[in-house]
Amino acid sequence: MKNSDNNKPWQGRFTAATDASVEAFTASVGFDQRLYHHDIEGSIAHASMLAHVGVITDAECKTIVDGLNDIRGEIERGDFAWSVALEDVHMNIEARLTERVGDVGKKLHTGRSRNDQVATDIRLYLRDEINAICKEYMALANALIDIAKKESGTIMPGFTHLQVAQPVTLGHHVLAWFEMLVRDLQRMQDCKKRVNVMPLGSAALAGTTYPIDREYTAKLLGFDSVTENSLDAVSDRDFAIEFVSAASITMMHLSRMSEELILWSSAQFDFIEISDSYCTGSSIMPQKKNPDVPELVRGKTGRVMGALNGLLVLMKSQPLAYNKDNQEDKEPLFDTIDTLKGSLHLFAGMMPEIEFKRDNMKAAALQGFSTATDLADYLVVKGAAFRDAHEIVGKAVRYGIDQGKDLSEMTTDELKQFSDLIVDDVHDVLTLEGSVAARNHIGGTAPAQVKAAIQRAEKRLADLA
Ligand code: ARG
C-alpha cells in the first residue's frame, strides 16, 4: 500500500501536511477496501441520479460510470494501488476516478458526503452478506432435518443437569437444534428489513441544497425505502448492532451444539464419530482425534459476543451526528460476518459426516433409571397420587442401585414389593421404546411425533426461503 503525499480531497483549508503517524492511525483503507464493490455500486447510482435531475449531464454521467466500472476491474485484477494517504476506500476510488477521467470525476461527490456514502456502503454490503448467511442457515437446517429423518426412532438418554433424565429420540434432539436455528434465521431476515434503508442524500448531516431525487437512487440500489432523518441516518449504526446481536445469538446456539458434539465424541460418551475430514490429530499423542471444528466454533463465539459489546460501547454516548468513532464499526462487523458465515458453513458440511452410534446411545439410556418417571406415571394411572408414586419409585431406584439393576431388568415380583398397584403390564412402560412412544403429542419425543414434526419443519423452512 502506498503511503505518500497524495493530494487529499480536503486539503484546501490545511497548510501543513498530515503527520505520517496520524495518517496511519486515521486510515481505514486497510480494512474498508472490502467495501469497494458496494462503494462503486452506490457511486454509479448517485451519478445516475445526478444526471436524472440535471445536476450533471448524461455525457458526464456516462464518463463517470464507465470510469468507475474500469476501476472495479482494476481492483478485481489486483491492479489498483491503494493509498493510506487517501485514508479510506471512498477517497481512494474517487481520486483514481479523477486520475482516469479528468476533472469530470470531481463532480461525482456533488450532493453527498462520505458520511452518507459510508453508511450506504455498509448497508449495501451487509444486505448481500445477510442474503448469503441466510443460505447457510438454510443449508444447516436442511442437514439437521436429514439427520432427524434417519434417526426419528433412535433412542438416546435425554439429560437435565447433564444427568440422565428420560429417554428421548435422537431425531427429537436434533430437531431441538433446528428450532434454535429457525428462530435465528427469522431474526436475521427481520434484521435485514432495517438494514435495507438508504441513508444516501443525508450528505454530511443536514441534507443537501441540490434537487436530489432520493427515491430514484434507492430504487436503483434496491433499497426498500429512504431514511427519514439526515442526522440520524449518518450516525445510526443500530442496524450493525442488531446484526451482530442476531449473530451472537446464533453463535451461542452453535456453541451449545458444539458442546454436545464434543461431549458425544469423547470416549466417555462415545455417541458419535465425526468423520476424519472434520477432525485433526495431535502432534504428540498419536492416538488423538480431536473435534476441532466444534471446538473452534465454540471458541469463536467469544469474538462475536465481544464484537457486540464493542459496537454497543462504540455507540454509547455518541452525540449526533457523524463522529469519526464510527469508523471503528467495520472491523467487528466484518469479523462477525466472516465468523458467522464460516461457522454455519462448516457446521452444514460437518453434520452429514457424523456417524451416530445407535447401540451406545441406547445402552446409555438404559443406565441412570431413565424410565423412573414412566413408572411413577404408571402408578398414577393405577390410582396412586403423584407424590406417593414419586416416593415409591424412589425406593425402587434405591433398590436398583444396590442390586445393580435397571428398573426394566427387575421382575414384576421384585417391583411389587414397592407397591401392590404394580402388575405384569408394568414392563410395557419400563422399556425405552414404550417410554418414548408414550410421549405422543405435538412437541413430544415419540418417533411418530418426530416424523410429523419433520413434515412441518420442511414446510416451515420452505416458507422462509
Ligand atoms: N472512513 C470513514 C468511516 O469509515 C468514512 C467517513 C468519514 N467521514 C468524515 N467526515 N471523516 O466512517
Side-chain angles (χ1 to χ4, degrees), residues 38-57:
H38 299 90
D39 190 70
I40 289 174
E41 203 186 334
S43 288
I44 289 176
H46 180 66
S48 307
M49 181 277 291
L50 291 177
H52 172 73
V53 299
V55 171
I56 61 174
T57 67

Side-chain angles (χ1 to χ4, degrees), residues 1-4 6 27 29 80-88 92:
M1 200 162 316
K2 268 196 303 185
N3 200 327
S4 67
N6 290 47
V29 64
F80 190 92
W82 296 100
S83 156
V84 172
L86 287 168
E87 213 174 300
D88 56 24
N92 265 270

